[in-house]
Amino acid sequence: MTKAYAAKNAKDPLAAFKFKRREVRPNDVHVEILYCGVCHSDIHQVRDEWGESIYPMVPGHEIVGRVLKVGDAVKKFKPGDIAGVGVMVDSCRKCKNCEQQMEQYCVEDMTGTYNAIERDGKTIAQGGYSSNIVTDERYVYHISPKLDLKAVAPLLCAGITTYSPLRYAGVTNGTKVGIVGLGGLGHMGVKFAVSFGAEVTLISTSPSKQKDAERLGAHKFLLSTDKKQMKAADSYFDVILNTISAQHNYKKYLNLLDLNGKMLVVGLPSEDPRTSPFALIKNRRSITGSMIGGTKETQEMLDYCAAKNIVADVEVIPIKKINEAYERMIKNDVRYRFVIDMSTL
Ligand code: NAP
Ligand code: ZN
Ligand code: ZN
């Protein structure tokens, strides 16, 4: 049996839970989980904020561990390797988007690591707040053992979700980038944008995060609750990465974009944000969404992080503190990713 923590419904706290993982198939990698990051998407889904949540739910999609066993046909991994699993564990593998290894946009929809029904049509996929996971090798990544593993876990979601849109938007030397929200995604966004050579501003509701933003490499800080500061930054940015997890209005941030400026949306509040066509037509601005990253780009991002020594800033917690961690994240009190030490299960 696999030990885990699960949500039984949208209301009760997470609690200890046991279930059975599938037997290792020829293409499967069996990973003993060492660390699992805590994403705000875990909270949205545990609390059924996006609708249609499936229970019991073992959340967790920022998984790092050690390979215990591999199936006969596995080529990429051997027992003892350090490996990661992210937000998806399967897809159709034959559509045009899967063919380009952009499986997150699979035309038949990707299979999430948890809160999803697997492609057999019956098994509930269960995530990383657990002692081990069995995943097809296509959706498992190599992790450089030279990185601090607990700080690597958040790269599997917060890392790729910010790396992918910043790359797609062509962020490079001198691009004026605003990162909105300094949480798990936002702090990785700051690190990546800085490493791509951009001029980076953190746009935050929390004055207390200014010092940290500078430490993370941001060049400027903009307090989004200060009307004067926001007015002064009107039409300033080329790119804004919006990581906000709670209800807000897009207009306030669109107004900060210069000619042809883009707002990259990754934050997924439960209520649809309002926007304004007037704010969009000015400066020919656009809004672009982005979902995690495909298997090819996720491995590329992990290799980039190993080469540049980029990892997350983490607060390691024992599993029994998970409910408290959720409460702190909702109060914007996370610096900057909680990571569960799975040996505490
Ligand atoms: P997080 O660590 O809780 O950080 C969210 C940050 O948003 C907060 O720290 C806060 O930063 C800011 N914020 C919160 N409420 C706000 C409000 N009302 N107005 C303005 N700013 C506010 O969350 P996360 O794990 O980074 O996830 C962020 C969002 O991305 C979630 O909705 C999550 O579901 C989504 N997500 C999407 C993808 C994807 O593929 N697109 C992948 C992963 C996660 P300040 O204190 O600096 O203001
Ligand atoms: Zn996530
Ligand atoms: Zn597909």
Side-chain angles (χ1 to χ4, degrees):
M1 290 299 258
T2 293
K3 281 200 208 169
Y5 253 52
K8 269 187 266 155
N9 54 53
K11 296 250 145 52
D12 291 325
L14 300 191
F17 176 69
K18 278 191 182 147
F19 69 103
K20 211 166 162 347
R21 290 281 184 200
R22 69 169 181 248
E23 294 297 323
V24 174
R25 297 175 189 154
N27 293 97
D28 280 347
V29 181
H30 188 190
V31 177
E32 174 197 8
I33 301 176
L34 301 173
Y35 297 103
C36 184
V38 181
C39 180
H40 208 111
S41 301
D42 299 349
I43 305 179
H44 290 311
Q45 293 174 92
V46 160
R47 302 194 174 177
D48 200 14
E49 292 172 358
W50 295 338
E52 300 185 25
S53 279
I54 301 165
Y55 302 98
M57 183 195 300
V58 177
H61 57 210
E62 292 185 337
I63 298 166
V64 167
R66 191 178 292 116
V67 175
L68 288 173
K69 199 172 153 187
V70 299
D72 293 342
V74 168
K75 293 194 186 76
K76 283 184 355 192
F77 297 92
K78 58 178 189 316
D81 286 352
I82 300 297
V85 178
V87 179
M88 71 185 152
V89 291
D90 210 348
S91 63
C92 86
R93 309 178 193 198
K94 44 184 200 287
C95 72
K96 62 184 178 57
N97 299 341
C98 282
E99 257 174 17
Q100 294 184 71
Q101 287 183 268
M102 292 204 285
E103 303 90 339
Q104 77 276 33
Y105 304 123
C106 175
V107 300
E108 292 179 16
D109 290 340
M110 66 173 204
T111 304
T113 303
Y114 68 86
N115 191 27
I117 301 293
E118 300 218 12
R119 297 187 110 74
D120 64 5
K122 51 180 198 253
T123 313
I124 302 180
Q126 300 290 20
Y129 299 5
S130 62
S131 54
N132 65 85
I133 189 162
V134 178
T135 309
D136 186 287
E137 69 170 333
R138 177 172 180 149
Y139 309 89
V140 182
Y141 307 99
H142 283 288
I143 306 278
S144 166
K146 72 175 193 209
L147 292 175
D148 179 6
L149 296 188
K150 57 184 185 299
V152 164
L155 300 180
L156 275 306
C157 176
I160 186 59
T161 301
T162 50
Y163 180 93
S164 182
L166 291 171
R167 281 289 197 216
Y168 181 67
V171 169
T172 183
N173 285 337
T175 311
K176 289 180 183 147
V177 175
I179 305 286
V180 188
L182 195 63
L185 267 55
H187 96 291
M188 289 311 306
V190 170
K191 290 187 190 208
F192 285 131
V194 168
S195 85
F196 299 162
E199 184 214 271
V200 181
T201 302
L202 177 74
I203 306 169
S204 172
T205 61
S206 307
S208 65
K209 293 180 182 172
Q210 179 162 5
K211 274 221 169 66
D212 285 344
E214 285 163 13
R215 182 177 52 75
L216 293 164
H219 306 96
K220 298 182 190 179
F221 182 87
L222 177 52
L223 186 62
S224 55
T225 51
D226 183 325
K227 285 207 175 97
K228 259 206 198 127
Q229 284 188 33
M230 290 294 272
K231 187 108 190 73
D234 192 284
S235 302
Y236 182 78
F237 296 97
D238 302 310
V239 169
I240 285 179
L241 180 71
N242 178 342
T243 78
I244 301 174
S245 54
Q247 195 184 358
H248 66 291
N249 191 327
Y250 281 167
K251 182 178 171 186
K252 182 170 170 177
Y253 302 99
L254 286 171
N255 284 336
L256 304 177
L257 288 170
D258 195 2
L259 185 65
N260 299 327
K262 288 188 183 61
M263 179 163 83
L264 313 173
V265 169
V266 290
L268 296 167
S270 54
E271 285 175 63
D272 292 343
R274 288 194 55 190
T275 188
S276 152
F278 291 96
L280 271 175
I281 64 166
K282 183 171 177 190
N283 285 344
R284 197 162 63 183
R285 295 159 172 150
S286 55
I287 303 177
T288 306
S290 188
M291 194 198 299
I292 48 168
T295 54
K296 182 162 173 250
E297 195 175 33
T298 301
Q299 189 62 61
E300 174 194 305
M301 177 273 313
L302 288 164
D303 297 344
Y304 179 83
C305 289
K308 299 261 178 180
N309 213 9
I310 294 174
V311 287
D313 287 25
V314 300
E315 180 175 339
V316 177
I317 56 163
I319 188 82
K320 65 172 196 274
K321 289 237 167 125
I322 187 63
N323 295 300
E324 204 180 296
Y326 280 11
E327 292 310 320
R328 282 183 53 195
M329 282 168 76
I330 287 161
K331 286 190 236 144
N332 301 339
D333 175 22
V334 50
R335 287 184 168 66
Y336 279 89
R337 197 59 139 186
F338 292 110
V339 170
I340 308 163
D341 176 352
M342 276 311 153
S343 69
T344 61
L345 245 184

